[in-house]
Amino acid sequence: MRQQRFNWGYSEKKYYRRASSVDKLWLGGLLLAALLLYTIDLDGLPLRDWDEGTVAQVARDIWRAPVDSWRWLYPTLGGEAYLNKPPLMHILIAGAYALGGVNEWTSRLPGAILSAISVPLLYSISREIFVVRSPAIFSALVYLTMLPMVRHGRLAMLDGAVVCFFLLMMLCVLRSRRNLRYCLGIGIGFGLICLTKGIIGLLLAAVALLFLLWDTPRLLGSVYLWVGFGIGAAPVAWWYVTQWWQYGNTFTTTGIMTQSVSRIWASVENHAGPPWYYLLEILKYALPWLIFLPPGLATAWENRNWSWAKLILVWSGAYFLAISLMQTKLPWYVLPIYPAIALAVGVQLAKLWDLSPKGAYPRGVIVWLRLLAVATTIGSFYFSPWSPAQDWELQFILAAVAGTMILATILALQGDRQFLVILIWGMYVSLLLFMSSSHWVWELAEAYPVKPVAAMIQSATPPGTKIYTSFAYGRPSLNFYSDRQVIPTPPNQLQQIWQQNSQPYLLIDSPSLTSLNLTSVQRLGTTQGLTLLKKGLREKYKNSES
């Protein structure tokens, strides 16, 4: 077995050339491929709870406000001050609303574009730390085909933008080692992160500084670095001061402590989990690249005296440790680690690409591909028309994945390195199919569809109405689509509201409708098992079942 053509120990600080035409072609191709994957059929499914519905409401409030108002600086949610996160992404979405109207496509488009940009950014980072091109190509392609990044990057959330800005900051960190002017870019990236999601910018900046401490400690004493951070932090500090000036201790308690700092030591809104929560997330969703991650990390550890290995180890290790120790656990908190995972996997794929042919590939890789082929083939048959769980979309998607794994297994057994090309291309096509299906926002199946209920509410109630519901929890997506506040209320309080209010509106499920035994009821409509009621002299029933 011959050694790989590139030398891991060749320091990139001694070797640099301007981006060639080949690199520019790769950057353009990766951007186009990412834009297609991240934007295809964005409006095919409704917005989900919780983040999408909330972000879209705040953005719509900004869009509706008069041009000369300060709503962009002091955003609201349902008429109340929104103190959860800084408003950068909400402002971008409001701008999309101004151009294309209020809908799912414009709600998701700004985050999807920023998430797509992160793919060529990772390629640029890889070209900074690897002497040869192959690990950069594989790292970017692996990152392009990671399900968690694609799925969350397409949602109207903040996390895809955070990853994009973090990659911008890390690219400038790497380039600042040979050109101090890039320290300004470090500060800009830091500021954009903080203006998107608050103090998580401090954690990501700490990751960058830990890398510099290990790799290039002289930069930590550079005035340019701290001036760059200062320039980036200035608008962030200004925003926090304006919020405190407007809301006082309410902002300190809610915006800083409850919604940000306290997540470190306390479980916010019952989002708790064990320390290995994010390890399980990676194990579940890093397929099929998971088998290449341990040897990639091992290679980085063996070459830890070089910058590329230091970056992978600090990025993945420090960030993973920090979020694992946090008491609040949410699936999207792990997203900033996936670029580091892609770098580690890219290292391993580049090594495999350079192995000699005819049976040279590790047995574990062959076994892994066989297992995935068998599992996805069984899954495809499970969702076939002859099964009680028939679903032609899932069957087709799983069949595409199964075909990819079968062909990749055959080529790997023959010692043909093209199995890596098939693996990447097959995963990309499979993700395109998945993102074009009705399943990529699978949380929508957890509760009733909101659009029919929202349409019923909107047609039967005046604007600004508060509706009280027997449903167990509030749904921001329902508030967004109905353009009303739908408030979850216990049964005893529903009875009081009905008796004490002159014109209450209730959204009640069938069992509660029977048990409450309300009088003077006027039924405004029924859909999805929920009935909209208001007080009336006689009962009128309009069936809007859909």
Side-chain angles (χ1 to χ4, degrees), residues 487-525:
I487 305 167
T489 310
N492 59 332
Q493 292 185 23
L494 286 173
Q495 194 89 23
Q496 292 177 6
I497 290 169
W498 186 261
Q499 294 171 357
Q500 297 173 5
N501 291 16
S502 59
Q503 190 60 272
Y505 287 87
L506 304 186
L507 183 66
I508 308 294
D509 61 87
S510 298
S512 298
L513 185 60
T514 303
S515 63
L516 287 173
N517 195 24
L518 303 174
T519 58
S520 302
V521 175
Q522 181 177 351
R523 303 193 185 203
L524 303 177

mmCIF file of all heavy atoms in Angstrom, residues 487-525:
data_model
loop_
_atom_site.group_PDB
_atom_site.id
_atom_site.type_symbol
_atom_site.label_atom_id
_atom_site.label_comp_id
_atom_site.label_asym_id
_atom_site.label_seq_id
_atom_site.Cartn_x
_atom_site.Cartn_y
_atom_site.Cartn_z
ATOM 1 N N ILE A 487 -54.195 31.205 22.675
ATOM 2 C CA ILE A 487 -53.589 31.027 24.000
ATOM 3 C C ILE A 487 -54.059 29.716 24.617
ATOM 4 O O ILE A 487 -55.267 29.520 24.812
ATOM 5 C CB ILE A 487 -53.960 32.199 24.922
ATOM 6 C CG1 ILE A 487 -53.566 33.533 24.247
ATOM 7 C CG2 ILE A 487 -53.295 32.061 26.284
ATOM 8 C CD1 ILE A 487 -54.149 34.750 24.913
ATOM 9 N N PRO A 488 -53.155 28.793 24.951
ATOM 10 C CA PRO A 488 -53.566 27.557 25.635
ATOM 11 C C PRO A 488 -54.060 27.876 27.043
ATOM 12 O O PRO A 488 -53.431 28.645 27.775
ATOM 13 C CB PRO A 488 -52.277 26.722 25.659
ATOM 14 C CG PRO A 488 -51.168 27.717 25.556
ATOM 15 C CD PRO A 488 -51.707 28.852 24.743
ATOM 16 N N THR A 489 -55.205 27.271 27.399
ATOM 17 C CA THR A 489 -55.859 27.618 28.662
ATOM 18 C C THR A 489 -56.426 26.359 29.306
ATOM 19 O O THR A 489 -57.074 25.554 28.628
ATOM 20 C CB THR A 489 -57.002 28.625 28.415
ATOM 21 O OG1 THR A 489 -56.505 29.717 27.613
ATOM 22 C CG2 THR A 489 -57.546 29.164 29.726
ATOM 23 N N PRO A 490 -56.224 26.147 30.621
ATOM 24 C CA PRO A 490 -56.803 24.987 31.310
ATOM 25 C C PRO A 490 -58.328 25.033 31.284
ATOM 26 O O PRO A 490 -58.929 26.114 31.165
ATOM 27 C CB PRO A 490 -56.271 25.126 32.747
ATOM 28 C CG PRO A 490 -55.084 26.029 32.641
ATOM 29 C CD PRO A 490 -55.362 26.958 31.493
ATOM 30 N N PRO A 491 -58.984 23.869 31.418
ATOM 31 C CA PRO A 491 -60.455 23.810 31.316
ATOM 32 C C PRO A 491 -61.184 24.717 32.301
ATOM 33 O O PRO A 491 -62.171 25.370 31.939
ATOM 34 C CB PRO A 491 -60.767 22.333 31.587
ATOM 35 C CG PRO A 491 -59.509 21.617 31.202
ATOM 36 C CD PRO A 491 -58.394 22.533 31.520
ATOM 37 N N ASN A 492 -60.721 24.789 33.563
ATOM 38 C CA ASN A 492 -61.427 25.628 34.545
ATOM 39 C C ASN A 492 -61.353 27.106 34.174
ATOM 40 O O ASN A 492 -62.306 27.863 34.376
ATOM 41 C CB ASN A 492 -60.868 25.391 35.945
ATOM 42 C CG ASN A 492 -59.383 25.691 36.045
ATOM 43 O OD1 ASN A 492 -58.645 25.576 35.064
ATOM 44 N ND2 ASN A 492 -58.944 26.095 37.239
ATOM 45 N N GLN A 493 -60.230 27.529 33.600
ATOM 46 C CA GLN A 493 -60.114 28.920 33.179
ATOM 47 C C GLN A 493 -60.936 29.194 31.925
ATOM 48 O O GLN A 493 -61.458 30.302 31.741
ATOM 49 C CB GLN A 493 -58.650 29.273 32.946
ATOM 50 C CG GLN A 493 -57.808 29.286 34.219
ATOM 51 C CD GLN A 493 -56.380 29.759 33.960
ATOM 52 O OE1 GLN A 493 -56.116 30.457 32.989
ATOM 53 N NE2 GLN A 493 -55.472 29.367 34.843
ATOM 54 N N LEU A 494 -61.052 28.201 31.060
ATOM 55 C CA LEU A 494 -61.918 28.369 29.891
ATOM 56 C C LEU A 494 -63.352 28.631 30.323
ATOM 57 O O LEU A 494 -64.056 29.477 29.726
ATOM 58 C CB LEU A 494 -61.851 27.115 29.006
ATOM 59 C CG LEU A 494 -60.582 26.899 28.179
ATOM 60 C CD1 LEU A 494 -60.619 25.530 27.504
ATOM 61 C CD2 LEU A 494 -60.414 27.996 27.135
ATOM 62 N N GLN A 495 -63.805 27.930 31.338
ATOM 63 C CA GLN A 495 -65.162 28.127 31.855
ATOM 64 C C GLN A 495 -65.330 29.550 32.390
ATOM 65 O O GLN A 495 -66.347 30.215 32.139
ATOM 66 C CB GLN A 495 -65.423 27.113 32.978
ATOM 67 C CG GLN A 495 -66.876 26.965 33.372
ATOM 68 C CD GLN A 495 -67.583 25.906 32.560
ATOM 69 O OE1 GLN A 495 -66.968 25.014 32.017
ATOM 70 N NE2 GLN A 495 -68.906 26.016 32.471
ATOM 71 N N GLN A 496 -64.314 30.033 33.125
ATOM 72 C CA GLN A 496 -64.389 31.380 33.668
ATOM 73 C C GLN A 496 -64.387 32.429 32.558
ATOM 74 O O GLN A 496 -65.151 33.405 32.610
ATOM 75 C CB GLN A 496 -63.210 31.628 34.612
ATOM 76 C CG GLN A 496 -63.247 30.807 35.890
ATOM 77 C CD GLN A 496 -62.018 31.032 36.754
ATOM 78 O OE1 GLN A 496 -61.187 31.893 36.451
ATOM 79 N NE2 GLN A 496 -61.886 30.263 37.832
ATOM 80 N N ILE A 497 -63.534 32.232 31.578
ATOM 81 C CA ILE A 497 -63.473 33.188 30.462
ATOM 82 C C ILE A 497 -64.808 33.245 29.742
ATOM 83 O O ILE A 497 -65.299 34.324 29.379
ATOM 84 C CB ILE A 497 -62.337 32.791 29.490
ATOM 85 C CG1 ILE A 497 -60.977 33.035 30.139
ATOM 86 C CG2 ILE A 497 -62.444 33.540 28.168
ATOM 87 C CD1 ILE A 497 -59.818 32.447 29.375
ATOM 88 N N TRP A 498 -65.405 32.097 29.551
ATOM 89 C CA TRP A 498 -66.701 32.047 28.849
ATOM 90 C C TRP A 498 -67.786 32.782 29.641
ATOM 91 O O TRP A 498 -68.640 33.457 29.069
ATOM 92 C CB TRP A 498 -67.100 30.594 28.632
ATOM 93 C CG TRP A 498 -68.334 30.428 27.793
ATOM 94 C CD1 TRP A 498 -69.610 30.196 28.225
ATOM 95 C CD2 TRP A 498 -68.408 30.509 26.370
ATOM 96 N NE1 TRP A 498 -70.472 30.114 27.174
ATOM 97 C CE2 TRP A 498 -69.761 30.299 26.007
ATOM 98 C CE3 TRP A 498 -67.480 30.728 25.365
ATOM 99 C CZ2 TRP A 498 -70.192 30.312 24.698
ATOM 100 C CZ3 TRP A 498 -67.905 30.724 24.060
ATOM 101 C CH2 TRP A 498 -69.245 30.525 23.725
ATOM 102 N N GLN A 499 -67.755 32.658 30.943
ATOM 103 C CA GLN A 499 -68.790 33.266 31.790
ATOM 104 C C GLN A 499 -68.554 34.760 31.996
ATOM 105 O O GLN A 499 -69.504 35.545 32.062
ATOM 106 C CB GLN A 499 -68.841 32.556 33.141
ATOM 107 C CG GLN A 499 -69.301 31.109 33.058
ATOM 108 C CD GLN A 499 -69.139 30.365 34.375
ATOM 109 O OE1 GLN A 499 -68.618 30.920 35.345
ATOM 110 N NE2 GLN A 499 -69.585 29.113 34.410
ATOM 111 N N GLN A 500 -67.291 35.166 32.106
ATOM 112 C CA GLN A 500 -66.994 36.546 32.505
ATOM 113 C C GLN A 500 -66.805 37.493 31.322
ATOM 114 O O GLN A 500 -67.069 38.684 31.442
ATOM 115 C CB GLN A 500 -65.737 36.574 33.391
ATOM 116 C CG GLN A 500 -65.908 35.818 34.707
ATOM 117 C CD GLN A 500 -64.611 35.699 35.489
ATOM 118 O OE1 GLN A 500 -63.589 36.256 35.090
ATOM 119 N NE2 GLN A 500 -64.649 34.972 36.591
ATOM 120 N N ASN A 501 -66.312 37.008 30.188
ATOM 121 C CA ASN A 501 -66.085 37.873 29.029
ATOM 122 C C ASN A 501 -67.368 38.056 28.236
ATOM 123 O O ASN A 501 -68.174 37.130 28.097
ATOM 124 C CB ASN A 501 -65.003 37.295 28.119
ATOM 125 C CG ASN A 501 -63.633 37.352 28.775
ATOM 126 O OD1 ASN A 501 -63.524 37.545 29.983
ATOM 127 N ND2 ASN A 501 -62.589 37.188 27.981
ATOM 128 N N SER A 502 -67.524 39.238 27.689
ATOM 129 C CA SER A 502 -68.752 39.506 26.936
ATOM 130 C C SER A 502 -68.744 38.833 25.560
ATOM 131 O O SER A 502 -69.790 38.428 25.058
ATOM 132 C CB SER A 502 -68.931 41.017 26.773
ATOM 133 O OG SER A 502 -67.805 41.570 26.091
ATOM 134 N N GLN A 503 -67.575 38.734 24.946
ATOM 135 C CA GLN A 503 -67.501 38.123 23.614
ATOM 136 C C GLN A 503 -66.227 37.271 23.497
ATOM 137 O O GLN A 503 -65.292 37.622 22.779
ATOM 138 C CB GLN A 503 -67.521 39.203 22.533
ATOM 139 C CG GLN A 503 -67.698 38.681 21.123
ATOM 140 C CD GLN A 503 -68.994 37.920 20.935
ATOM 141 O OE1 GLN A 503 -69.042 36.714 21.158
ATOM 142 N NE2 GLN A 503 -70.050 38.622 20.536
ATOM 143 N N PRO A 504 -66.171 36.147 24.200
ATOM 144 C CA PRO A 504 -64.970 35.298 24.130
ATOM 145 C C PRO A 504 -64.985 34.429 22.877
ATOM 146 O O PRO A 504 -66.047 34.091 22.342
ATOM 147 C CB PRO A 504 -65.084 34.437 25.381
ATOM 148 C CG PRO A 504 -66.559 34.296 25.592
ATOM 149 C CD PRO A 504 -67.167 35.598 25.119
ATOM 150 N N TYR A 505 -63.787 34.062 22.421
ATOM 151 C CA TYR A 505 -63.625 33.112 21.335
ATOM 152 C C TYR A 505 -62.818 31.930 21.869
ATOM 153 O O TYR A 505 -61.734 32.110 22.421
ATOM 154 C CB TYR A 505 -62.878 33.739 20.151
ATOM 155 C CG TYR A 505 -63.713 34.724 19.364
ATOM 156 C CD1 TYR A 505 -63.780 36.062 19.749
ATOM 157 C CD2 TYR A 505 -64.420 34.313 18.237
ATOM 158 C CE1 TYR A 505 -64.543 36.971 19.028
ATOM 159 C CE2 TYR A 505 -65.174 35.215 17.506
ATOM 160 C CZ TYR A 505 -65.241 36.541 17.911
ATOM 161 O OH TYR A 505 -65.994 37.436 17.200
ATOM 162 N N LEU A 506 -63.371 30.730 21.704
ATOM 163 C CA LEU A 506 -62.705 29.519 22.187
ATOM 164 C C LEU A 506 -62.462 28.565 21.024
ATOM 165 O O LEU A 506 -63.313 28.421 20.141
ATOM 166 C CB LEU A 506 -63.561 28.806 23.241
ATOM 167 C CG LEU A 506 -64.002 29.604 24.477
ATOM 168 C CD1 LEU A 506 -64.715 28.671 25.461
ATOM 169 C CD2 LEU A 506 -62.835 30.301 25.144
ATOM 170 N N LEU A 507 -61.300 27.919 21.076
ATOM 171 C CA LEU A 507 -60.957 26.872 20.104
ATOM 172 C C LEU A 507 -60.841 25.580 20.894
ATOM 173 O O LEU A 507 -59.876 25.368 21.643
ATOM 174 C CB LEU A 507 -59.638 27.207 19.400
ATOM 175 C CG LEU A 507 -59.181 26.240 18.310
ATOM 176 C CD1 LEU A 507 -60.140 26.274 17.122
ATOM 177 C CD2 LEU A 507 -57.765 26.567 17.862
ATOM 178 N N ILE A 508 -61.840 24.708 20.748
ATOM 179 C CA ILE A 508 -62.015 23.588 21.672
ATOM 180 C C ILE A 508 -61.980 22.262 20.930
ATOM 181 O O ILE A 508 -62.578 22.119 19.852
ATOM 182 C CB ILE A 508 -63.367 23.709 22.425
ATOM 183 C CG1 ILE A 508 -63.508 25.086 23.062
ATOM 184 C CG2 ILE A 508 -63.500 22.635 23.483
ATOM 185 C CD1 ILE A 508 -62.516 25.366 24.160
ATOM 186 N N ASP A 509 -61.294 21.267 21.520
ATOM 187 C CA ASP A 509 -61.344 19.916 20.976
ATOM 188 C C ASP A 509 -62.641 19.244 21.402
ATOM 189 O O ASP A 509 -63.333 19.695 22.327
ATOM 190 C CB ASP A 509 -60.133 19.107 21.441
ATOM 191 C CG ASP A 509 -60.086 18.963 22.944
ATOM 192 O OD1 ASP A 509 -60.698 18.017 23.465
ATOM 193 O OD2 ASP A 509 -59.451 19.817 23.614
ATOM 194 N N SER A 510 -62.989 18.158 20.747
ATOM 195 C CA SER A 510 -64.289 17.508 20.969
ATOM 196 C C SER A 510 -64.507 17.059 22.412
ATOM 197 O O SER A 510 -65.577 17.312 22.987
ATOM 198 C CB SER A 510 -64.449 16.321 20.014
ATOM 199 O OG SER A 510 -64.419 16.768 18.678
ATOM 200 N N PRO A 511 -63.555 16.354 23.071
ATOM 201 C CA PRO A 511 -63.790 15.956 24.465
ATOM 202 C C PRO A 511 -64.035 17.157 25.388
ATOM 203 O O PRO A 511 -64.916 17.114 26.252
ATOM 204 C CB PRO A 511 -62.504 15.204 24.842
ATOM 205 C CG PRO A 511 -61.947 14.729 23.549
ATOM 206 C CD PRO A 511 -62.291 15.798 22.563
ATOM 207 N N SER A 512 -63.253 18.233 25.207
ATOM 208 C CA SER A 512 -63.440 19.412 26.066
ATOM 209 C C SER A 512 -64.772 20.088 25.788
ATOM 210 O O SER A 512 -65.417 20.620 26.707
ATOM 211 C CB SER A 512 -62.295 20.406 25.835
ATOM 212 O OG SER A 512 -61.054 19.845 26.190
ATOM 213 N N LEU A 513 -65.202 20.067 24.539
ATOM 214 C CA LEU A 513 -66.486 20.672 24.189
ATOM 215 C C LEU A 513 -67.626 19.980 24.925
ATOM 216 O O LEU A 513 -68.576 20.620 25.384
ATOM 217 C CB LEU A 513 -66.690 20.588 22.682
ATOM 218 C CG LEU A 513 -67.924 21.272 22.111
ATOM 219 C CD1 LEU A 513 -67.913 22.764 22.422
ATOM 220 C CD2 LEU A 513 -68.002 21.050 20.606
ATOM 221 N N THR A 514 -67.506 18.669 25.075
ATOM 222 C CA THR A 514 -68.533 17.907 25.793
ATOM 223 C C THR A 514 -68.462 18.165 27.294
ATOM 224 O O THR A 514 -69.477 18.381 27.957
ATOM 225 C CB THR A 514 -68.361 16.404 25.519
ATOM 226 O OG1 THR A 514 -68.428 16.183 24.106
ATOM 227 C CG2 THR A 514 -69.434 15.597 26.224
ATOM 228 N N SER A 515 -67.267 18.149 27.836
ATOM 229 C CA SER A 515 -67.103 18.258 29.294
ATOM 230 C C SER A 515 -67.373 19.669 29.813
ATOM 231 O O SER A 515 -67.847 19.836 30.941
ATOM 232 C CB SER A 515 -65.697 17.830 29.701
ATOM 233 O OG SER A 515 -64.715 18.682 29.128
ATOM 234 N N LEU A 516 -67.107 20.701 29.034
ATOM 235 C CA LEU A 516 -67.299 22.071 29.512
ATOM 236 C C LEU A 516 -68.773 22.449 29.627
ATOM 237 O O LEU A 516 -69.148 23.292 30.448
ATOM 238 C CB LEU A 516 -66.594 23.053 28.571
ATOM 239 C CG LEU A 516 -65.062 23.081 28.662
ATOM 240 C CD1 LEU A 516 -64.472 23.951 27.568
ATOM 241 C CD2 LEU A 516 -64.618 23.586 30.033
ATOM 242 N N ASN A 517 -69.620 21.867 28.766
ATOM 243 C CA ASN A 517 -71.065 22.106 28.841
ATOM 244 C C ASN A 517 -71.389 23.601 28.797
ATOM 245 O O ASN A 517 -72.045 24.154 29.673
ATOM 246 C CB ASN A 517 -71.637 21.477 30.122
ATOM 247 C CG ASN A 517 -73.143 21.375 30.074
ATOM 248 O OD1 ASN A 517 -73.751 21.343 29.001
ATOM 249 N ND2 ASN A 517 -73.765 21.357 31.253
ATOM 250 N N LEU A 518 -70.907 24.269 27.763
ATOM 251 C CA LEU A 518 -71.094 25.711 27.628
ATOM 252 C C LEU A 518 -72.508 26.026 27.157
ATOM 253 O O LEU A 518 -73.135 25.241 26.439
ATOM 254 C CB LEU A 518 -70.078 26.272 26.639
ATOM 255 C CG LEU A 518 -68.599 25.997 26.963
ATOM 256 C CD1 LEU A 518 -67.717 26.482 25.823
ATOM 257 C CD2 LEU A 518 -68.195 26.658 28.277
ATOM 258 N N THR A 519 -73.002 27.211 27.530
ATOM 259 C CA THR A 519 -74.331 27.651 27.111
ATOM 260 C C THR A 519 -74.211 28.829 26.152
ATOM 261 O O THR A 519 -73.195 29.514 26.104
ATOM 262 C CB THR A 519 -75.163 28.072 28.344
ATOM 263 O OG1 THR A 519 -74.462 29.107 29.039
ATOM 264 C CG2 THR A 519 -75.366 26.886 29.283
ATOM 265 N N SER A 520 -75.291 29.092 25.440
ATOM 266 C CA SER A 520 -75.353 30.202 24.470
ATOM 267 C C SER A 520 -74.182 30.142 23.496
ATOM 268 O O SER A 520 -73.432 31.102 23.314
ATOM 269 C CB SER A 520 -75.359 31.557 25.204
ATOM 270 O OG SER A 520 -76.437 31.644 26.090
ATOM 271 N N VAL A 521 -74.047 28.995 22.856
ATOM 272 C CA VAL A 521 -72.886 28.747 22.002
ATOM 273 C C VAL A 521 -73.233 29.020 20.545
ATOM 274 O O VAL A 521 -74.275 28.599 20.049
ATOM 275 C CB VAL A 521 -72.415 27.285 22.156
ATOM 276 C CG1 VAL A 521 -71.290 26.985 21.172
ATOM 277 C CG2 VAL A 521 -71.951 27.025 23.581
ATOM 278 N N GLN A 522 -72.340 29.727 19.883
ATOM 279 C CA GLN A 522 -72.426 29.882 18.436
ATOM 280 C C GLN A 522 -71.170 29.256 17.834
ATOM 281 O O GLN A 522 -70.061 29.701 18.087
ATOM 282 C CB GLN A 522 -72.509 31.351 18.035
ATOM 283 C CG GLN A 522 -72.625 31.537 16.516
ATOM 284 C CD GLN A 522 -72.789 32.991 16.122
ATOM 285 O OE1 GLN A 522 -72.989 33.852 16.976
ATOM 286 N NE2 GLN A 522 -72.705 33.262 14.832
ATOM 287 N N ARG A 523 -71.365 28.219 17.041
ATOM 288 C CA ARG A 523 -70.242 27.522 16.424
ATOM 289 C C ARG A 523 -69.878 28.214 15.110
ATOM 290 O O ARG A 523 -70.706 28.347 14.222
ATOM 291 C CB ARG A 523 -70.589 26.066 16.168
ATOM 292 C CG ARG A 523 -71.022 25.321 17.421
ATOM 293 C CD ARG A 523 -71.041 23.842 17.188
ATOM 294 N NE ARG A 523 -71.574 23.137 18.348
ATOM 295 C CZ ARG A 523 -71.334 21.875 18.643
ATOM 296 N NH1 ARG A 523 -70.554 21.176 17.837
ATOM 297 N NH2 ARG A 523 -71.845 21.307 19.705
ATOM 298 N N LEU A 524 -68.620 28.587 15.010
ATOM 299 C CA LEU A 524 -68.149 29.300 13.827
ATOM 300 C C LEU A 524 -67.487 28.391 12.811
ATOM 301 O O LEU A 524 -67.261 28.806 11.669
ATOM 302 C CB LEU A 524 -67.166 30.403 14.246
ATOM 303 C CG LEU A 524 -67.705 31.416 15.251
ATOM 304 C CD1 LEU A 524 -66.609 32.414 15.634
ATOM 305 C CD2 LEU A 524 -68.918 32.146 14.690
ATOM 306 N N GLY A 525 -67.164 27.189 13.212
ATOM 307 C CA GLY A 525 -66.524 26.267 12.286
ATOM 308 C C GLY A 525 -65.844 25.129 13.018
ATOM 309 O O GLY A 525 -65.549 25.230 14.219
#
